[in-house]
Amino acid sequence: MSFVIAFLSCSKDEVVDSGNGNGNEDGNAVALNNKVNDFTWKAMNSWYNWQESVPNLSDSKDDNTNNYHDFLNGFATPQDLFSSLKHAEDDFSWFIEDYVAQQQQFQGISKSFGIFVKFDQFLRPSSNSDNLLVYVHKVTKNSPADIAGVKRGDLIIGFGNEVFTTTNLSRVAGQGFNAETAEFIFGEKDGVTIKEKKTITKEVVADDPIHLVKVFDDIAGKKVGYLAYNGFRSSFNDELNAAFGELKGAGVQELVLDLRINGGGSVLTSAYLASMIHDGPGNNTTFAELRYNSKHTDRNARAPFFNELAVFNSAGDNTGTQAINRLSGINRLYVLASDRTASASEMIINGLRPFIEVKIVGTKTTGKNEGSITLYDAPSSDFTDVDKANPDHKNAMQPIVFQIYNNLGQSDYSDGFEPNILIDEATSWNNILPFGDENEVVLKTALDDIRGVSSRSSNFSNNNFIEKLDAKIKENRFSSEMYIDGDFLKLTK
């Protein structure tokens, strides 16, 4: 289906630095020190989800030009201004230094080692130890770490000549993970004994979000499909569809969707994934509804269960369509979840629950029922068109601009979804198995439930002491995001 949408500009005219009856006490106009501050305020005033609740985003704030300039000049950088305009409930909006690099990250392209760890889950191996370690959750295929032989479950105990301790954790971990080249110390379970050292250099890596597709042929007489899916990236829509073609061809009767390290991504791709699992009770049934602030109700949209998907390349260009490979007879979905399961992943849970049973196995999810768009210094397009952006800088913003609801109007998961079956992978940190291994602790719990066998986390815990510490390392800002593709409004409404 296709819709033609007219975008209505809600921003005011650009600031002109001249006296117009709004002068200060001596009659002189106040000059604007940084025009990017003006872009920052006006774009937030137009689009921000909480605009009406932030006093400094009031529509009257720029009525007096000089007072407005005085306000903007009170912030040394646009980032400082942006931070001051965020609502207290907003944990996810951010300022973008370079929107070209950000768009690449949206498609899983970034310079990295290819190692995913949880920086707030450094573990103390025993109660009487001052040493710490962290296990590798995932290694990106064909990344420098993959080429170096790093595996999921490997234990990192330090960098260079220093092992992690409770006193040096943030410094040593920060220097190592943020370096271009680092000498990783891989160790044993005591956090002290060195197993080997590997020097790894970051490279530009394209992370394929379809990490693993597998079929278990006999789980209590059923064929069970398993998909480890790590990001809703629109440039991989066709690969995701191919994965479901494989599951469909195998005739799976149950589905386990592993979203433990899936922080979100494209809203449209989330709707496509839902459509691969279920068809809704009839044509044009709503999977999810997006609601914007009062200035942009024209953007409100409903994403249905689709019969075909749009294919995008890494530049975001629509290159064609494909018929969706939809599974038949899936009445229950198992979602493997963690505190990194966020936004577009939670959208799957919330959006499918009115139609099928969704059983969460793992730990509590992030709790992000909102989404964003990228805003550019392009006032003539109401800050949405990158082709009209000011060429003098690459600053942009990624503010929360909409809230998402399911077919029943539900959006009450800002604190996260509680698991139906609680099982914390970290309790078995010293025996982490590969994704898709039938005995991997979280997957086994889901498969046992299909078998009718009750499982408890304590059954899998082989460590009597576990303490998690936070290394205080700044993570990729795209770790928990939900964003709109350029063609979203053309394909939904």
Side-chain angles (χ1 to χ4, degrees), residues 97-228:
E97 299 289 343
D98 183 338
Y99 61 74
V100 176
Q102 183 63 65
Q103 291 301 323
Q104 291 179 327
Q105 288 186 19
F106 281 162
Q107 300 304 334
I109 301 171
S110 63
K111 197 171 187 180
S112 72
F113 295 119
I115 293 174
F116 179 88
V117 302
K118 290 187 177 181
F119 294 122
D120 60 351
Q121 236 181 53
F122 280 72
L123 308 168
R124 194 201 304 258
S126 66
S127 59
N128 59 0
S129 172
D130 189 47
N131 293 91
L132 302 170
L133 52 80
V134 66
Y135 68 89
V136 176
H137 284 254
K138 188 202 76 167
V139 177
T140 300
K141 297 175 185 177
N142 302 315
S143 68
D146 187 33
I147 294 170
V150 181
K151 305 294 184 184
R152 169 172 154 83
D154 284 350
L155 304 177
I156 302 172
I157 65 171
F159 287 98
N161 296 315
E162 291 188 273
V163 295
F164 302 132
T165 67
T166 55
T167 55
N168 73 13
L169 176 60
S170 293
R171 177 181 59 82
V172 176
Q175 290 174 350
F177 284 108
N178 291 327
E180 288 293 309
T181 298
E183 184 180 43
F184 286 77
I185 305 175
F186 294 93
E188 301 293 352
K189 299 172 184 178
D190 58 8
V192 178
T193 305
I194 297 175
K195 185 177 180 180
E196 61 180 329
K197 293 185 177 183
K198 294 182 178 182
T199 299
I200 306 175
T201 299
K202 290 179 178 177
E203 294 181 7
V204 175
V205 174
D207 186 13
D208 185 342
I210 298 91
H211 189 76
L212 179 66
V213 185
K214 187 172 182 177
V215 175
F216 297 94
D217 288 323
D218 186 9
I219 303 296
K222 294 182 177 181
K223 285 191 174 185
V224 178
Y226 170 80
L227 172 64

Side-chain angles (χ1 to χ4, degrees), residues 201-472:
T201 299
K202 290 179 178 177
E203 294 181 7
V204 175
V205 174
D207 186 13
D208 185 342
I210 298 91
H211 189 76
L212 179 66
V213 185
K214 187 172 182 177
V215 175
F216 297 94
D217 288 323
D218 186 9
I219 303 296
K222 294 182 177 181
K223 285 191 174 185
V224 178
Y226 170 80
L227 172 64
Y229 185 55
N230 297 330
F232 291 81
R233 301 186 186 121
S234 56
S235 59
F236 289 88
N237 286 348
D238 46 344
E239 285 88 345
L240 179 61
N241 201 35
F244 271 80
E246 183 177 339
L247 296 173
K248 182 177 181 179
V252 299
Q253 299 156 285
E254 298 270 9
L255 179 62
V256 179
L257 186 60
D258 195 337
L259 302 177
R260 278 176 283 177
I261 54 176
N262 190 322
S266 164
V267 167
L268 190 57
T269 300
S270 182
Y272 289 155
L273 174 57
S275 304
M276 296 171 193
I277 298 169
H278 187 66
D279 63 355
N283 294 331
N284 297 319
T285 303
T286 297
F287 161 64
E289 180 184 358
L290 281 63
R291 299 179 190 174
Y292 288 75
N293 69 21
S294 61
K295 296 183 178 184
H296 292 284
T297 55
D298 61 300
R299 296 271 298 204
N300 291 349
R302 294 175 179 269
F305 289 89
F306 291 91
N307 292 318
E308 65 177 26
L309 58 79
V311 178
F312 298 95
N313 60 23
S314 60
D317 301 320
N318 188 329
T319 61
T321 60
Q322 291 182 356
I324 279 179
N325 292 317
R326 179 177 288 124
L327 303 181
S328 59
I330 298 296
N331 298 312
R332 176 174 61 180
L333 171 67
Y334 284 85
V335 174
L336 308 189
S338 77
D339 61 350
R340 291 299 193 273
T341 304
S343 59
S345 290
E346 292 171 304
M347 180 180 170
I348 287 289
I349 297 169
N350 192 54
L352 284 176
R353 274 187 163 176
F355 306 103
I356 63 174
E357 179 185 6
V358 180
K359 209 159 191 177
I360 302 172
V361 180
T363 57
K364 189 177 182 180
T365 65
T366 298
K368 186 170 185 291
N369 57 354
E370 309 133 345
S372 67
I373 60 174
T374 308
L375 299 180
Y376 309 93
D377 189 358
S380 65
S381 68
D382 203 0
F383 310 102
T384 60
D385 190 346
V386 64
D387 293 330
K388 297 179 180 178
N390 185 342
D392 294 338
H393 65 87
K394 290 292 188 290
N395 291 162
M397 295 181 293
Q398 197 73 28
I400 297 298
V401 300
F402 64 84
Q403 189 166 341
I404 201 150
Y405 298 79
N406 65 15
N407 188 60
L408 301 177
Q410 297 166 330
S411 183
D412 53 350
Y413 55 95
S414 59
D415 292 328
F417 287 107
E418 295 285 354
N420 299 96
I421 306 175
L422 175 63
I423 178 73
D424 189 349
E425 174 184 289
T427 61
S428 294
W429 62 267
N430 50 6
N431 188 31
I432 298 295
L433 297 176
F435 289 115
D437 188 304
E438 189 170 341
N439 291 308
E440 189 273 317
V441 59
V442 184
L443 175 57
K444 184 179 189 305
T445 302
L447 296 178
D448 279 350
D449 195 71
I450 294 173
R451 294 184 179 104
V453 177
S454 176
S455 298
R456 295 181 180 178
S457 59
S458 58
N459 294 342
F460 300 100
S461 178
N462 48 24
N463 182 37
N464 292 326
F465 180 84
I466 180 172
E467 181 181 356
K468 302 176 185 179
L469 290 91
D470 193 339
K472 306 296 183 184

